[in-house]
Amino acid sequence: MKSEDHAAEYHLGYSDTEHERLVRQAKRIAPVTEHFLREAGIGQGMRVLDVGSGAGDVAMLVGRIVGPSGSVVGLEREPRSIARARERVAQAGMRNVEFVAGDIAGFASEPTFDGAVGRYVLQFLPDSVKGLRTIASAVKAGGIIAFQEGSFAPFVALSAHLPLWSACVNLLHTSAMHSGVNVEMGPGLHKAFQEAGLPAPKMRLVMELSDEPELTSLVSDALSSVLPHIRKAGLSVEALGDLATLHDRLHDEVVRSNTVVPWIALVGAWCRTPAGAKAANG
């Protein structure tokens, strides 16, 4: 499948602007992801598969956790994202992280990994359970499966006190559902793990609350990235006013309210693969 076909089906797209937004987002949530991965058991010397690597943020984070004696293989299907990730790894001087081109649906590997991880990946799959089975088959018995996925429900609920902010959040929520994104994949990991033949996972939910312009810009920039999908779905952006000034007006609304606003809740789930997982998944 060509990369432009990927862009057409992937809700957020692969533009340079979206890559930059994802890098900024990744920087903000890196401490949460690092704590989660360490709690799940990712550590020094492990060989880890990072699924849906994008621009490489999670793979690089895992690379620092496993250290020089460990290694990370990042699986990513979009050529421009792979090129960007490889460039960033080279600039960082990391020799224990590599990226391979491939799709989860077509991925096949012997169980050679000590763990498999991913962030904001399963929610975009048409069949997350099948994806988890495929991923688990690449992990050794007793290895770690650890994913972080989104939950819009608290994001929407904790945004209701500000009219403009709430309008933006609701539009992001609705457009994602129109595109087939599982907007409650995070809480759904409990069921998905078990349906994939894995043990019921341990789980955590974390949300950032802030009034900083860096956080408020994530909403306006995300809206820009999904604008083609918003228009395709026939959703109106009239209530948002001039999109060119949206970020400034969003931030002003938050500051005037003397309150904080949330970003999408991040739900982490992890378990260890049972003995015979590969055979069960087959």
Side-chain angles (χ1 to χ4, degrees), residues 51-271:
V51 182
S53 290
D57 292 283
V58 173
M60 292 171 70
L61 175 58
V62 176
R64 290 189 286 271
I65 294 174
V66 301
S69 61
S71 63
V72 182
V73 176
L75 179 68
E76 171 56 43
R77 67 182 186 177
E78 206 281 317
R80 291 176 65 244
S81 297
I82 294 172
R84 177 72 183 276
R86 286 173 175 165
E87 179 183 3
R88 295 178 71 202
V89 165
Q91 289 174 347
M94 301 183 73
R95 298 184 178 182
N96 64 341
V97 180
E98 64 174 308
F99 298 94
V100 296
D103 194 288
I104 295 172
F107 182 69
S109 170
E110 292 298 312
T112 59
F113 292 94
D114 300 302
V117 306
R119 184 174 68 192
Y120 291 136
V121 175
L122 299 176
Q123 62 193 34
F124 296 109
L125 298 184
D127 189 338
S128 58
V129 171
K130 183 178 179 181
L132 275 170
R133 287 197 193 104
T134 300
I135 294 160
S137 70
V139 177
K140 301 173 184 175
I144 296 163
I145 305 292
F147 279 83
Q148 288 182 310
E149 299 289 335
S151 175
F152 267 80
F155 185 38
V156 172
L158 294 175
S159 298
H161 64 294
L162 297 177
L164 182 59
W165 179 269
S166 182
C168 291
V169 168
N170 278 288
L171 196 53
L172 286 174
H173 183 217
T174 305
S175 64
M177 289 192 296
H178 269 277
S179 292
V181 179
N182 185 344
V183 295
E184 297 304 327
M185 186 72 246
L189 289 170
H190 177 73
K191 183 178 180 181
F193 270 52
Q194 294 175 83
E195 290 185 346
L198 297 167
K202 295 181 179 180
M203 299 181 69
R204 297 279 187 274
L205 182 151
V206 180
M207 286 189 77
E208 181 176 5
L209 299 168
S210 177
D211 62 354
E212 297 175 7
E214 266 191 11
L215 186 136
T216 56
S217 70
L218 290 177
V219 165
S220 53
D221 290 349
L223 277 168
S224 295
S225 292
V226 302
L227 196 57
H229 293 282
I230 290 172
R231 288 172 173 156
K232 183 179 179 180
L235 303 173
S236 174
V237 296
E238 187 176 350
L240 309 186
D242 184 0
L243 297 182
T245 63
L246 180 59
H247 172 246
D248 289 339
R249 289 183 290 112
L250 275 174
H251 186 61
D252 287 346
E253 181 183 54
V254 174
V255 170
R256 287 197 309 272
S257 72
N258 196 27
T259 61
V260 290
V261 288
W263 184 235
I264 301 167
L266 193 58
V267 180
W270 74 97
C271 73

